[in-house]
Amino acid sequence: MRVLAVDRRALWYMAWLAPRRRPLSSRSVSELVDGIRAGDRAALARAITLVESTRPDHRQQARELVSKCVRIPRPRALRIGLTGTPG
């Protein structure tokens, strides 16, 4: 078995070079709605985070997101309540 020694600077540099996710505020509401419609779990997670956010700019986006999601045609709707701490 081979063990590699990697110093912290190298790990930090590799993490710094890794592709970064776009911040929540830079994602358009239409991208999130399209992702939710396509069954993308990451888009759903971002949408939930957006709706739960208390930032004023996120609140406006959340209102727009919810109003667009309400108009998504669906055969039968389920309402699911999520509680508890994240993670």
Side-chain angles (χ1 to χ4, degrees):
M1 185 161 110
R2 187 180 224 178
V3 178
L4 297 175
V6 179
D7 67 10
R8 289 181 184 183
R9 286 177 292 183
L11 289 175
W12 177 85
Y13 186 69
M14 290 186 318
W16 184 76
L17 289 176
R20 293 187 175 95
R21 260 192 245 171
R22 288 172 35 198
L24 185 61
S25 58
S26 73
R27 295 204 177 265
S28 73
V29 172
S30 60
E31 287 177 329
L32 289 176
V33 172
D34 291 342
I36 291 168
R37 289 180 108 169
D40 181 9
R41 294 163 99 186
L44 178 61
R46 288 185 195 101
I48 291 170
T49 300
L50 181 66
V51 169
E52 290 178 340
S53 176
T54 57
R55 285 181 41 183
D57 57 325
H58 285 177
R59 300 304 307 156
Q60 179 58 36
Q61 288 180 321
R63 283 188 202 98
E64 185 182 345
L65 175 73
V66 170
S67 69
K68 286 185 178 186
C69 284
V70 167
R71 291 187 231 134
I72 294 175
R74 56 202 174 270
R76 291 197 69 168
L78 290 175
R79 186 170 298 180
I80 300 172
L82 303 173
T83 62
T85 56

